[in-house]
């Protein structure tokens, strides 16, 4: 695998990043895809055939197409960061009820867990995000 960069230092950084991803088991030969492409593939090829109930699949599809696809869809799957996920979730506040934000976050977390399981990403960056603010009490 080759890396290209404007400086030697940048090339070394990119090489080291690739080596780290290899150690984590990421499939570097997999075609790069956007978050939107992965979510579409996930719904059609994973969830539609893994025993997920049809009514659950409908809810997943609705949650994905209305929120993560418009909000994160253009981001490369392997470049998505916890910070972007958190910004996305924060941006949903005021537009959705807290319970709906929690559900959108759960669907994103499940989809990214499957991407991690399939070695498309080194980790699930949606694990650490908070779907709602601090609880009072």
């Amino acid at each position: 695998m080759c890396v290209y960069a404007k400086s030697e230092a940048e090339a070394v950084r990119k090489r080291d990043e690739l080596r780290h991803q290899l150690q984590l088991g990421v499939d570097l030969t997999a075609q790069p895809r956007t978050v939107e492409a992965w979510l579409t593939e996930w719904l059609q090829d994973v969830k539609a055939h893994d025993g997920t109930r049809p009514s659950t699949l409908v809810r997943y599809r609705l949650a994905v197409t209305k929120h993560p696809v418009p909000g994160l869809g253009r981001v490369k799957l392997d470049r998505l960061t916890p910070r972007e996920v958190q910004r996305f979730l924060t941006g949903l506040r005021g537009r959705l009820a807290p319970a709906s934000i929690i559900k959108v976050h759960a669907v994103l977390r499940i989809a990214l867990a499957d991407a991690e399981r399939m070695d498309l990403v080194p980790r699930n960056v949606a694990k650490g995000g908070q779907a709602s603010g601090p609880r009072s009490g």
Side-chain angles (χ1 to χ4, degrees), residues 6-137:
K6 292 182 180 180
S7 69
E8 183 179 351
E10 186 181 349
V12 168
R13 183 191 58 74
K14 287 182 175 183
R15 180 203 64 200
D16 291 346
E17 182 180 320
L18 284 174
R19 284 181 178 168
H20 179 69
Q21 289 182 354
L22 267 174
Q23 289 172 342
L24 293 173
V26 175
D27 181 1
L28 298 178
T29 61
Q31 285 291 97
R33 53 180 58 80
T34 61
V35 171
E36 178 178 10
W38 167 245
L39 291 173
T40 301
E41 179 183 335
W42 176 72
L43 287 168
Q44 292 173 353
D45 299 338
V46 179
K47 297 316 283 178
H49 304 288
D50 72 351
T52 300
R53 292 188 330 203
S55 60
T56 302
L57 196 56
V58 167
R59 285 194 305 275
Y60 281 178
R61 193 175 313 282
L62 183 63
V64 162
T65 57
K66 287 191 81 171
H67 303 293
V69 166
L72 297 169
R74 292 185 176 176
V75 177
K76 293 285 186 188
L77 181 63
D78 61 347
R79 298 286 180 213
L80 184 63
T81 66
R83 177 93 172 107
E84 287 171 310
V85 171
Q86 187 60 58
R87 247 189 250 130
F88 162 71
L89 294 171
T90 300
L92 294 177
R93 291 185 187 150
R95 296 185 334 182
L96 293 179
S100 295
I101 296 170
I102 289 169
K103 289 174 186 169
V104 168
H105 182 220
V107 171
L108 184 60
R109 199 172 54 245
I110 293 165
L112 293 177
D114 281 338
E116 181 182 24
R117 181 180 55 79
M118 297 172 128
D119 293 330
L120 299 176
V121 294
R123 66 187 181 118
N124 183 346
V125 296
K127 271 187 186 177
Q130 291 184 329
S132 61
R135 296 176 190 218
S136 58

